[in-house]
Amino acid sequence: MAKVGKYLPLMLVVLIGLLFQEMFIFIDQTDSPRKAAIEFSRAYYLLDVDSMSGRLCNAYRSSDVVDDYIYRVAKAASDRGFQPKYLKSRLFHIETHILQRDDNKAKVRLTAKRRTSIHPVYEYVGKLFCIGQTYTVDEVIDLVKEKDQWKVCGQLFNLT
């Protein structure tokens, strides 16, 4: 019986940790305009076609907007003598501000820093040795709610 009392505080901490983890997972699954804007922006700069298409509204998804954008990026890269992966960027220090919001529409202002991200390690080496530049991203993103999920719709970045 003394052994159970000895490990009771540890078991209690683990149990509380598991409860908090479940709560955080549940909270993270709820969709919001901020989450949609961040996910789309990250996919846009990483040239992730599937994630980008998943966050576009039906009007843009039915047209070949994403494929046209990826083609333009690949063409620009090949004109410079690179592969498209050399034009990937990663966002960090992301901040969002909701400018307008109602039940089915929202406007989100996204500000962030972006850095070239050929490979995940390249980003950190670049910071460490001051290789490459950091660019500022400042965009207003229009979102609409379709089937209980926020989707990006409207003019943004160089997609259209």
Side-chain angles (χ1 to χ4, degrees):
M1 188 69 179
K3 287 187 177 188
V4 173
K6 182 177 175 183
Y7 294 111
L8 187 64
L10 177 63
M11 290 189 312
L12 189 60
V13 167
V14 169
L15 183 64
I16 290 172
L18 288 173
L19 288 173
F20 273 114
Q21 184 67 26
E22 289 296 320
M23 183 180 67
F24 291 142
I25 288 171
F26 177 74
I27 290 171
D28 188 48
Q29 289 177 349
T30 58
D31 198 27
S32 70
R34 289 181 172 165
K35 183 177 178 181
I38 290 170
E39 284 180 6
F40 178 81
S41 300
R42 285 183 173 157
Y44 175 84
Y45 284 110
L46 285 174
L47 305 177
D48 184 0
V49 176
D50 295 332
S51 297
M52 218 184 322
S53 297
R55 279 296 183 175
L56 280 178
C57 64
N58 289 333
Y60 282 142
R61 198 176 315 136
S62 61
S63 65
D64 292 330
V65 173
V66 174
D67 294 332
D68 292 341
Y69 169 69
I70 297 297
Y71 174 77
R72 286 193 318 252
V73 169
K75 177 85 170 108
S78 68
D79 289 347
R80 294 171 52 190
F82 298 127
Q83 293 178 1
K85 70 178 182 180
Y86 288 104
L87 298 182
K88 290 183 179 182
S89 297
R90 188 170 305 276
L91 295 179
F92 57 98
H93 297 299
I94 301 171
E95 293 183 15
T96 57
H97 304 284
I98 295 180
L99 301 177
Q100 295 175 346
R101 182 176 179 177
D102 60 17
D103 292 340
N104 295 321
K105 290 185 180 184
K107 271 187 192 264
V108 176
R109 181 173 182 227
L110 181 128
T111 56
K113 304 286 184 190
R114 78 178 168 90
R115 182 179 282 275
T116 302
S117 181
I118 299 166
H119 187 275
V121 176
Y122 176 82
E123 184 180 346
Y124 299 111
V125 171
K127 279 185 199 177
L128 185 64
F129 294 108
C130 299
I131 300 171
Q133 292 182 324
T134 301
Y135 303 97
T136 302
V137 175
D138 189 356
E139 290 287 334
V140 174
I141 301 172
D142 293 323
L143 297 117
V144 294
K145 196 168 192 178
E146 293 178 350
K147 297 180 184 175
D148 293 332
Q149 191 174 21
W150 288 97
K151 305 283 186 164
V152 173
C153 219
Q155 296 288 103
L156 79 141
F157 305 119
N158 291 324
L159 189 62
T160 56

